[in-house]
Amino acid sequence: MTVPTRARQRAADLRAQLNQHNYHYYVLDDPIVSDTEYDRLLRELQNLEASYKELVTADSPTQRVGAEPLSYFKEVKHKVPMLSLSNAFDENEVITFDRRIRERIDVDVVEYVAEPKVDGLAISLLYERGVLVRGATRGDGMTGEDVTQNVKTIRSIPLRLLGNRHPRLIEVRGEVFMTHQGFIALNKRQSSAGLKEFVNPRNAAAGSLRQLDPKLTAERPLRMFCYALGDVDARHLPESQFELLQQLSVWGLAVSPLAQLVKGVEQCLAYYRKMVAQRTSLAYPIDGIVYKVNSLSLQKSLGAVSRAPRWALAHKFPAQEETTVVKAIEVQVGRTGAITPVARLEPVFVGGVTVSNATLHNRAEIERLDLRVGDTVVVRRAGDVIPEVVTVVKKRRPRTTKRFKFPIRCPVCHSDIVYEGGEGIIARCSGGLYCSAQRKEHLKHFASRKAMDIDGLGDKIIDQLVEVGMVQDIADLYSLTVTQLAGLDRLADKSAQNLVDALERSKQTTLRRFLFALGISQVGETTAGQLADHYGSLESIMNATEDDLQSLTDIGPIVATNIFTFFCQSHNKQVISKLRRRGVKWPETEPIQRNSSKLPLSGKTIVLTGTLDAMARNEAKTRLQDLGAKVTGSVSSNTDYVIVGAEPGSKATKAEQLGVEMLDEKQFMKLLAKLESP
Ligand code: IVH
């Protein structure tokens, strides 16, 4: 069938447009048309190609996922070997690398390009007259696998280079990788489909590219950054690595936006340090920095030794993942009784420090990993986060391991463990302060700097005090004597005296510190400060109703209940009076006088319900309080007004029943406008 010229032209035009859009969307991450517009153009091209088979070209955007599944990958011989890089693990090795280059080429300062070393897999793309004809893995550097049909599914790889007058033949090399987000989403899909999860983004990227069915690869969130050339047949080529990156970008290939020209080894190291700091905030994994001599002719004269070029160096970051063996699984009891399982590990150097414990988060996590004592595991420590177990290397599991049984009793006080939170994920010891582990944590919190600030009362001493039974509750701290303390391990007479002095000094405190030190669930420093300012005295706080407590900006129903319940417990009241008897004191202050009778809403009690368009509830609360109103959490016959936003709760119904005056958002805004104007 002859193809009408109009159809031929239209198809070419559509292809060019779609390639442009693709580039803006996937490479620049800055789309210039809507998804619907893109789909419309693509569908038009698909229809044209369906009518005239001759119009289908290898580089047509319709051909990204067309290919049939393969039964195996063909071999590809790399004309120019795909080299690997020499590694440096510290700054001195980088300094040596730079010195050797300077000696060989006899210059004072070498210009380098510093690029992130993206943690994916190296891929070669072959373009003939601008059209992608082959994609191959690195393999052993000499022979790789033909993964053309898979590479074509990666949207940031152009099927045709942008612009024109392309080299007759050009092989572009770079790294195919997966973003952290893409990796997490993929693993979620894998797990809900009952499939195996991937260990890390690099394995996921490699596994995805080695799918025989390109439809599977197409579903994987792969990307690519290009950084080098292989075999080329071209008239003009850039003269430096930096210009090469710019040229690749002009052709529509994605390059790392973080590559930088640097002069001399000092700037190399400065770049490295900057990237170490940025590393965890990048969207994709990088495992080091690659320094490359910028001038391509210098690169050529420096040449390569064995498998690695002399002109480039990979300066590795400290590994964030290592394998080690689990020696034991134990559970820890926190201040509020929360039980956290931890893995005790054969010590291993990871993320720049030696790690011998990793958190296992909760019972569900142990079950998910099926972690057992004796297992070999991959541990991860990224940035300052607590080390965690990523996976269990099941292949290396000894034959005798047993499934871990989560305890049903607290390992410390043997009280029952109760479960709370969604799906019973949070395990908690029900022993309260009867549990010595909770008591220890409670004492540590009480003594801490932002609480009672008891200098010299460290964790080790507290552990001993509880273990030998010298201290049952926080008030007991204040009856300790020098003689008693001097009997403890690692506490000389002098330190014992210092500690007694510190305890004495800490007695003179402030109400906000004291409240924080009590360790009421969810009462942090800020809330403690607000309570102290608002009520002025401990008695007023202890006598406050839940409703009253909720009139504070930061206190919602849960925290109000926590505070109220805390002060209802007789043992808490006893400890508080014991503390006061032993001399703990603070200046009482006048409650902050909001309800001064001069303010327009003083004496009025107001309740807010539903959401307001114009402001968050907290803002509404503060503005009303500034006008002298008392803002409470529930409606009663004492309530003067209820302000009703969108989707109000039962408070509106109650107000109606009690006949309390209700204001909608509009009326409320009017009221504010009137009262707030000077
Ligand atoms: S240059 C001869 N640049 O690191 C030059 N490699 O350890 C060879 N890699 O196989 C590679 N980011 O898979 C180069 N910006 C980058 C890189 C990079 C990641 C990988 C690549 C290579 C391996 C060598």
Side-chain angles (χ1 to χ4, degrees):
M1 194 182 346
T2 53
V3 183
T5 322
R6 278 235 322 272
R8 194 179 293 282
Q9 273 169 357
R10 180 66 185 154
D13 182 39
L14 285 169
R15 239 169 254 148
Q17 280 191 52
L18 285 161
N19 282 339
Q20 264 302 330
H21 296 332
N22 200 66
Y23 172 69
H24 279 270
Y25 192 96
Y26 291 104
V27 179
L28 301 182
D29 199 11
D30 185 18
I32 47 173
V33 287
S34 65
D35 291 2
T36 24
E37 173 71 3
Y38 183 91
D39 291 342
R40 199 178 55 70
L41 296 172
L42 186 66
R43 223 166 309 121
E44 189 183 341
L45 181 60
Q46 278 164 342
N47 290 340
L48 268 178
E49 289 179 349
S51 316
Y52 307 105
K53 290 270 176 308
E54 299 89 325
L55 285 181
V56 183
T57 56
D59 66 324
S60 172
T62 60
Q63 299 305 300
R64 285 208 180 259
V65 209
E68 288 299 312
L70 298 175
S71 47
Y72 69 100
F73 295 113
K74 277 191 300 196
E75 271 190 0
V76 170
K77 289 251 179 283
H78 298 299
K79 268 215 180 127
V80 177
M82 287 182 83
L83 300 180
S84 63
L85 295 168
S86 312
N87 290 322
F89 294 96
D90 62 36
E91 299 200 341
N92 281 334
E93 292 177 318
V94 181
I95 292 168
T96 311
F97 160 80
D98 172 65
R99 198 190 52 236
R100 293 219 176 108
I101 289 180
R102 283 187 289 113
E103 285 166 1
R104 274 184 181 270
I105 59 178
D106 197 22
V107 291
D108 288 338
V109 181
V110 183
E111 192 174 52
Y112 298 98
V113 173
E115 302 169 9
K117 186 169 182 310
V118 182
D119 201 7
L121 70 155
I123 286 293
S124 137
L125 305 172
L126 190 64
Y127 287 92
E128 263 176 28
R129 299 191 192 285
V131 177
L132 177 67
V133 293
R134 195 197 68 197
T137 62
R138 173 174 180 273
D140 63 3
M142 310 304 279
T143 314
E145 288 177 320
D146 186 330
V147 287
T148 312
Q149 88 286 18
N150 289 346
V151 155
K152 279 179 141 184
T153 67
I154 302 174
R155 307 282 164 157
S156 59
I157 297 180
L159 299 179
R160 166 186 282 274
L161 298 179
L162 295 183
N164 37 41
R165 297 210 289 158
H166 303 117
R168 208 192 62 73
L169 190 93
I170 188 152
E171 185 198 346
V172 180
R173 293 171 177 180
E175 201 82 354
V176 167
F177 61 93
M178 203 176 273
T179 61
H180 294 299
Q181 224 186 0
F183 167 71
I184 291 167
L186 170 61
N187 265 354
K188 269 203 189 128
R189 279 184 275 137
Q190 290 285 108
S191 107
S192 52
L195 297 169
K196 229 182 116 192
E197 292 182 31
F198 292 97
V199 177
N200 56 36
R202 177 168 37 79
N203 285 356
S208 302
L209 256 195
R210 295 199 70 264
Q211 293 293 331
L212 290 165
D213 184 355
K215 286 195 187 61
L216 291 177
T217 312
E219 289 166 5
R220 304 287 173 81
L222 295 172
R223 288 175 52 181
M224 180 169 185
F225 281 154
C226 299
Y227 48 66
L229 295 182
D231 186 22
V232 280
D233 176 4
R235 292 227 189 114
H236 299 290
L237 278 179
E239 288 176 9
S240 69
Q241 171 68 11
F242 202 69
E243 284 162 0
L244 168 66
L245 294 176
Q246 288 170 328
Q247 176 62 70
L248 293 175
S249 172
V250 168
W251 281 332
L253 292 150
V255 299
S256 168
L258 299 169
Q260 235 176 51
L261 262 184
V262 290
K263 284 201 171 72
V265 71
E266 269 316 317
Q267 289 189 7
C268 288
L269 297 177
Y271 179 88
Y272 177 89
R273 291 177 207 130
K274 189 176 77 181
M275 295 309 296
V276 167
Q278 269 190 39
R279 176 187 195 186
T280 45
S281 58
L282 292 184
Y284 43 86
I286 65 175
D287 60 346
I289 299 299
V290 186
Y291 309 117
K292 298 174 183 173
V293 169
N294 190 32
S295 153
L296 297 187
S297 61
L298 281 182
Q299 285 187 6
K300 212 168 172 181
S301 59
L302 282 162
V305 259
S306 67
R307 290 291 184 83
R310 280 201 195 88
W311 47 265
L313 182 72
H315 186 182
K316 300 288 284 264
F317 291 146
Q320 290 184 313
E321 289 184 3
E322 273 301 341
T323 48
T324 187
V325 174
V326 178
K327 293 198 300 190
I329 301 173
E330 290 172 7
V331 297
Q332 279 176 343
V333 189
R335 174 162 66 88
T336 56
I339 304 245
T340 315
V342 284
R344 307 283 179 218
L345 308 167
E346 205 58 70
V348 59
F349 193 71
V350 51
V353 297
T354 301
V355 165
S356 41
N357 301 304
T359 177
L360 296 167
H361 302 292
N362 51 47
R363 185 178 56 161
E365 177 70 0
I366 302 184
E367 280 164 16
R368 188 183 74 80
L369 294 164
D370 179 20
L371 183 74
R372 304 175 185 197
V373 175
D375 269 340
T376 296
V377 291
V378 177
V379 280
R380 181 177 171 79
R381 181 185 176 275
D384 286 331
V385 303
I386 302 169
E388 49 185 13
V389 172
V390 185
T391 43
V392 173
V393 187
K394 294 264 165 71
K395 280 196 200 119
R396 291 170 64 180
R397 167 171 286 170
R399 247 185 270 140
T400 52
T401 61
K402 282 198 216 69
R403 240 174 217 287
F404 177 73
K405 281 213 196 79
F406 206 85
I408 51 168
R409 297 240 152 71
C410 169
V412 179
C413 73
H414 310 291
S415 302
D416 287 346
I417 289 178
V418 292
Y419 290 94
E420 53 189 67
E423 294 167 20
I425 265 181
I426 303 169
R428 217 180 271 286
C429 158
S430 59
L433 290 183
Y434 165 74
C435 175
S436 67
Q438 290 187 52
R439 236 179 306 144
K440 285 177 186 170
E441 294 309 310
H442 188 56
L443 284 161
K444 287 172 195 171
H445 171 76
F446 184 78
S448 65
R449 202 169 47 80
K450 290 176 174 167
M452 300 301 280
D453 193 18
I454 308 172
D455 213 16
L457 186 56
D459 292 0
K460 294 260 155 56
I461 298 177
I462 291 179
D463 289 348
Q464 286 187 64
L465 289 172
V466 172
E467 279 155 26
V468 301
M470 270 158 68
V471 167
Q472 301 291 338
D473 60 43
I474 47 182
D476 291 343
L477 287 172
Y478 292 103
S479 57
L480 291 170
T481 63
V482 176
T483 339
Q484 276 178 311
L485 285 171
L488 296 176
D489 263 5
R490 283 194 267 183
L491 208 67
D493 287 358
K494 178 99 191 322
S495 322
Q497 181 61 54
N498 288 345
L499 184 48
V500 169
D501 294 345
L503 279 159
E504 193 55 35
R505 269 198 311 276
S506 76
K507 286 183 184 171
Q508 178 64 53
T509 184
T510 59
L511 180 54
R512 51 170 65 210
R513 273 181 181 277
F514 183 75
L515 281 170
F516 174 60
L518 289 176
I520 305 167
S521 178
Q522 295 185 50
V523 176
E525 283 169 275
T526 319
T527 308
Q530 272 194 16
L531 284 165
D533 289 348
H534 183 87
Y535 290 99
S537 75
L538 185 64
E539 277 60 41
S540 319
I541 301 173
M542 290 174 80
N543 292 329
T545 61
E546 283 181 64
D547 203 34
D548 202 34
L549 287 164
Q550 275 194 63
S551 69
L552 269 73
T553 327
D554 267 3
I555 299 183
I558 296 173
V559 182
T561 308
N562 290 348
I563 300 168
F564 183 76
T565 326
F566 183 91
F567 290 117
C568 284
Q569 317 266 324
S570 57
H571 64 262
N572 288 335
K573 286 196 273 202
Q574 279 162 20
V575 169
I576 290 170
S577 42
K578 205 156 130 194
L579 283 165
R580 301 190 100 167
R581 278 202 306 279
R582 298 201 167 151
V584 174
K585 57 177 185 292
W586 54 86
E588 309 253 294
T589 56
E590 282 299 301
I592 288 187
Q593 287 294 317
R594 271 192 162 128
N595 292 358
S596 142
S597 57
K598 285 198 201 84
L599 292 171
L601 290 179
S602 56
K604 300 277 183 240
T605 303
I606 300 182
V607 173
L608 289 156
T609 180
T611 40
L612 298 172
D613 273 345
M615 65 189 88
R617 188 186 299 209
N618 258 349
E619 187 188 338
K621 196 167 170 180
T622 322
R623 285 169 73 172
L624 285 166
Q625 286 171 336
D626 287 344
L627 291 166
K630 178 170 165 192
V631 182
T632 69
S634 61
V635 180
S636 72
S637 53
N638 291 333
T639 312
D640 294 286
Y641 302 104
V642 174
I643 292 158
V644 186
E647 294 171 45
S650 58
K651 292 176 198 168
T653 330
K654 182 125 187 240
E656 213 162 339
Q657 282 164 3
L658 294 172
V660 177
E661 191 173 336
M662 294 199 270
L663 303 180
D664 63 16
E665 177 158 1
K666 217 162 150 192
Q667 293 168 314
F668 171 56
M669 295 307 289
K670 253 196 188 147
L671 181 78
L672 282 184
K674 195 174 101 199
L675 299 180
E676 284 176 344
S677 60

